[in-house]
RNA sequence: GCCAGUGUAGCUCAGCUGGUAGAGCAGCUGAUUUGUAAUCAGCUGGUCGGGGGUUCGAGUCCCUCCACUGGCUCCA
């Protein structure tokens, strides 16, 4: 007998060799029906695999994250079975579960598989699922495994096998499909009830663009049709939040073929948002001791050779231009210009920390396929600043920058983000990273200390640092689930050396400062794209381009409405009179869809009482009040939200 | 840049297997003067993304370029 301990701490005895399914059955029939896999001492196993020793277990169902992964992983196998049945000779790469569903990378040979094939594959999957095929785990020797795939002619699986150790190789078989797979899997295909193949795209083998491109098919499955319907519903809701859609509807920005891809044109509402954000950032930065500077949009090649950017990022910069025998580049980053400002005069330790800030406009050649609305563009304006400080000042300065981030996030109500700490990979020193192991170690330790002291949760990702130093990124997700770096905070010990930036210490020595690059509000482009989705177009009062619509019911109310506009404008409220000869219902509707936060309705009653009827966007009638009382209320809202 | 898909009026979209473009909204004009999410009528508007080809004839078929969308790769 063996002792099985459950998550609640209770335990029971079972015969050695008991399976997850047996255990689930012994608890309840309902659980057995819902069971997908079992977690044994922290590892996820098949329900059919025997447990031979004492263990702590947890039955996994669809409600568990690992349950979903297992379900989707098995669904990927089911899709592969369908593809092999429909398109014999297809070779298979990898087919893992992802956050929302799964994919399988396949090589269909000379045949093309496109969007029009998806319904066919889907139908086949549904048919195969009903066969209730069991997922059967088989341990294989490496030589047998190699022989199997050599016989099948699948070079991708052979490539994968090369990295695997003999004795640890398992195959899974369901129906007529056998795959090299670590598992685990669901007991059988029948529990896959709802299937949707969502997308087909290209994906490089092993993620390397020098390798062959395979066809990647994405899909998602559920144990119930209702859940699939809800998922599709959710996707449609997300699309409504998409900043590209909202940006068009609310007249924030546009693109034009003649201007060029990735070069947004800011419409008046968008320009207003930019100016509000700049005003807010400049005020905040001034309070925190930043000095504003301004620099040109281009510079000579030599500047980027000095900074070291050119060899690393030439491919991502706009091509050079020749002028009077000299090569110039559009600037892709502000730091070299700022370093030259630091270098413009001799600096003393008394000048440090020196914080130079600029909403600098940059141009980057993002490859055509990478452009995405406002989130990835070719012209961008960064909320940039460079802090020059001594080593002793570094920790407190870095900490202050992090505090600034958190302050901004609070103002904008940003809650869903991940802080990512990127460090270097020692074997790539001199290639991807500047060759200075001591400074890498020292600065990474300093950053880690700040993060731990601040109590900010973060995840550390090796080999993702900038070439000049470690960095912190704030990751966010767009409405349709794509991940972006919103803000970044980077350490740079390399450029001060390259530019020979120095300051005089109290001992009259010359030392190099450390530089912190920071952009807590990202770029205008990305930040406004993000805010559009974050607020679903309903900007808080202080940001809303139009705060209030004045809606007279009939033409005879226009003179009074005009006097209301005058009073509100004098009180600093952004309002707009709708004097069209339309019904009040229509005027309300247009203001509602325009996401204007307040509507003031003016008819006979209001005119007589000298009041306005207040309607709140999305909420409806709020009753009547004096104009100036309303103005004070809005003024208060603006104050509160700053 | 790569793979797949899309591109018809300012916007959202029809247009079957090739037979010389259509709706709703927006816009303009007029009527209407309205009480909390679309008042009515008339009119204007498109070398069907650009270029080339096949054909008696191309929005529709082919080639090519451009842009956009979903991914891959990249992201100082």
């Amino acid at each position: 007998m063996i002792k099985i301990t459950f998550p609640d701490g209770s335990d029971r005895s079972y015969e050695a060799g008991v399976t997850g399914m047996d255990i689930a059955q012994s608890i309840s029939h309902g659980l057995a029906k819902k069971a997908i896999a079992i977690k044994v001492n922290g590892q996820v196993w098949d329900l059919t695999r025997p447990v031979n020793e004492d263990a702590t277990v947890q039955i996994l169902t669809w409600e568990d994250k690992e349950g979903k992964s297992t379900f989707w992983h098995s669904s990927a196998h089911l899709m592969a079975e369908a593809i092999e049945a429909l398109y014999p000779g297809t070779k298979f790469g990898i087919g893992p579960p992802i956050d929302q569903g799964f994919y399988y990378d396949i090589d269909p040979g000379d045949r093309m598989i496109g969007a029009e094939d998806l319904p066919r594959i889907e139908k086949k999957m549904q048919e195969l699922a009903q066969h209730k095929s069991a997922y059967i785990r088989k341990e294989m020797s490496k030589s047998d495994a190699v022989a199997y795939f050599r016989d099948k002619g699948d070079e991708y699986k052979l490539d994968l096998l090369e990295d695997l150790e003999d004795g640890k190789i398992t195959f899974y078989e369901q129906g007529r499909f056998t795959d090299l797979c670590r598992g685990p899997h669901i007991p059988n295909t029948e529990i896959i009830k709802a299937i949707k193949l969502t997308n087909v795209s290209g994906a490089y083998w092993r993620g390397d663009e020098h390798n062959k491109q395979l066809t990647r098919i994405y899909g998602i499955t559920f144990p119930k049709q209702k859940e699939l319907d809800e998922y599709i519903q959710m996707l449609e809701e997300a699309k409504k939040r998409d900043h590209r859609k909202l940006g068009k509807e609310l007249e924030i920005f546009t693109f034009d073929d003649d201007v060029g891809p990735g070069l947004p044109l800011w419409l008046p509402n968008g320009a207003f948002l930019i100016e509000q954000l700049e005003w807010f950032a400049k005020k905040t930065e001034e309070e925190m001791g930043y000095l504003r500077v301004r620099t040109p949009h281009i510079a000579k090649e030599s500047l980027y050779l000095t900074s070291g950017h050119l060899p690393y990022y030439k491919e991502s910069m706009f091509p050079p231009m020749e002028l009077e025998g000299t090569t110039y580049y559009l600037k892709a980053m502000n730091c070299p210009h700022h370093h030259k400002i630091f270098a413009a005069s001799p600096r003393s330790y008394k000048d440090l920390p020196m914080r130079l800030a600029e909403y600098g406009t940059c141009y980057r050649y993002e490859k055509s396929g990478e452009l995405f609305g406002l989130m990835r563009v070719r012209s961008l304006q960064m909320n940039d600043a460079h802090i020059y400080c001594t080593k002793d000042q570094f920790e407190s300065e870095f900490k202050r920058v992090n505090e600034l981030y958190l302050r901004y996030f609070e103002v904008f109500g940003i809650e869903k983000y991940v802080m990512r700490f990127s460090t270097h990979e020692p074997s790539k020193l001199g290639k991807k990273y500047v060759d200075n192991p001591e400074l890498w170690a020292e600065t990474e330790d300093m950053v880690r200390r700040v993060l731990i002291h601040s109590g900010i949760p973060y995840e550390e990702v090796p080999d993702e640092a900038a070439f000049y130093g470690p960095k912190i990124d704030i990751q966010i997700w767009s409405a349709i689930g794509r991940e972006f770096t919103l803000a970044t905070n980077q350490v740079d010990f390399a450029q001060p050396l390259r530019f020979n930036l120095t300051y005089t210490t109290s001992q009259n020595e010359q030392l190099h400062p450390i530089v912190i690059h920071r952009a807590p509000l990202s770029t205008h482009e990305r930040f406004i794209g993000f805010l559009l989705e974050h607020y679903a177009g309903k900007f808080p009062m202080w940001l809303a381009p139009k705060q209030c619509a004045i809606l007279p019911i009939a033409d005879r109310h226009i003179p009074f409405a005009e006097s209301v506009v005058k009073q509100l404008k004098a009180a600093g409220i952004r309002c707009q009179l709708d004097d069209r000869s339309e019904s009040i219902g229509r005027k309300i509707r247009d203001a509602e869809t325009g996401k204007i936060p307040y509507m003031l309705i003016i008819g006979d009653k209001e005119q007589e009482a000298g009041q306005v009827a207040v309607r709140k966007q999305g909420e409806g009638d709020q009753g009547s009040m004096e104009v100036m009382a309303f103005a004070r209320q809005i003024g208060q809202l603006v104050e509160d939200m700053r």
Side-chain angles (χ1 to χ4, degrees), chain A residues 188-342:
Chain A
N188 68 69
T189 56
E190 200 211 9
I191 60 171
I192 303 173
K193 300 283 192 198
I195 299 165
K196 178 81 187 159
L197 299 186
T198 49
N199 196 11
V200 53
S201 77
Y204 302 106
W205 173 237
R206 292 188 170 239
D208 184 335
E209 66 180 315
H210 303 292
N211 285 343
K212 182 165 179 179
Q213 192 161 45
L214 305 181
T215 304
R216 175 171 296 180
I217 302 179
Y218 286 87
I220 190 161
T221 51
F222 296 89
K224 288 181 189 149
Q225 181 63 36
K226 192 169 152 253
E227 285 172 287
L228 173 60
D229 296 341
E230 281 167 5
Y231 173 74
I232 291 169
Q233 178 79 31
M234 188 204 72
L235 285 184
E236 275 160 23
E237 287 300 314
K239 273 189 195 157
K240 288 186 197 160
R241 272 181 171 247
D242 192 313
H243 75 280
R244 292 166 299 183
K245 185 172 159 67
L246 286 171
K248 192 178 276 179
E249 286 169 2
L250 302 179
E251 297 179 13
I252 307 290
F253 66 94
T254 189
F255 289 95
D256 184 278
D257 276 1
D258 274 339
V259 176
L263 303 172
L265 299 172
W266 292 99
L267 305 175
N269 288 336
F272 176 83
L273 288 170
I274 286 181
E275 280 168 19
Q276 280 299 90
L277 286 172
E278 279 198 22
W279 167 84
F280 173 59
K282 285 174 180 174
K283 189 186 75 152
T284 309
E285 283 164 5
E286 193 186 334
E287 285 164 11
M288 297 191 77
Y290 287 77
L291 305 169
R292 298 215 78 79
V293 295
R294 289 184 156 252
T295 61
H297 291 197
I298 66 171
K300 280 159 53 174
E301 179 178 40
S302 54
L303 183 69
Y304 304 112
L305 285 171
T306 304
S307 74
H309 283 100
L310 211 49
Y312 287 91
Y313 300 110
K314 193 173 179 180
E315 297 300 301
S316 312
M317 291 172 75
F318 273 73
M321 43 196 148
E322 299 295 325
L323 188 69
E324 295 171 334
T326 304
T327 304
Y328 285 80
Y329 281 91
L330 272 170
K331 79 173 166 186
M333 66 297 291
N334 300 303
C335 32
H337 287 83
H338 290 183
H339 298 334
K340 287 299 189 186
I341 290 175
F342 183 89

Side-chain angles (χ1 to χ4, degrees), chain A residues 412-574:
Chain A
F412 293 102
I414 301 172
E415 282 160 5
K416 196 191 166 202
Y417 64 90
V418 166
M419 193 171 273
R420 205 174 61 179
F421 172 34
S422 301
T423 55
H424 78 300
E425 163 55 49
S427 68
K428 294 185 185 167
L429 284 170
K431 284 174 280 199
K432 189 171 169 187
Y433 305 111
V434 289
D435 196 4
N436 195 331
E438 298 78 27
L439 272 171
W440 276 105
E442 199 175 343
T443 51
E444 283 178 4
D445 280 348
M446 288 196 287
V447 171
R448 202 175 284 113
R449 267 206 305 279
V450 172
L451 287 171
I452 292 166
H453 279 171
S454 316
I456 302 167
Y458 68 96
E459 54 188 50
E460 192 162 329
V461 280
D463 199 17
E464 290 289 332
F467 76 88
Y468 45 61
K471 62 174 182 174
I472 293 174
D473 291 319
I474 308 289
Q475 300 304 107
I476 51 108
W477 289 266
S478 80
I480 57 167
R482 207 182 294 193
E483 182 174 347
F484 286 94
T485 296
L486 186 70
T488 183
N489 186 9
Q490 307 175 345
V491 185
D492 185 351
F493 47 79
Q495 290 196 60
L497 270 73
R498 300 188 66 102
F499 279 91
N500 196 25
L501 303 181
T502 57
Y503 65 94
T504 309
T505 68
S506 57
Q507 265 75 51
N508 202 25
E509 305 161 290
Q510 295 296 308
L511 286 183
H512 296 295
I514 294 183
V515 172
I516 299 170
H517 301 238
R518 39 112 284 175
L521 294 182
S522 189
T523 64
H524 280 319
E525 288 73 16
R526 189 170 288 181
F527 199 67
I528 290 174
F530 168 76
L531 286 185
L532 266 167
E533 303 194 345
H534 177 63
Y535 293 127
K538 296 172 191 169
F539 288 102
M541 202 47 92
W542 71 278
L543 275 173
K546 296 280 179 294
Q547 293 170 317
C548 163
I550 316 296
L551 313 179
I553 285 179
D555 286 356
R556 65 177 177 281
H557 308 119
I558 288 177
F560 178 60
E562 278 170 344
S563 77
V564 169
V565 168
K566 216 168 170 185
Q567 288 180 73
L568 290 177
K569 283 198 169 156
I573 289 168
R574 300 185 288 278

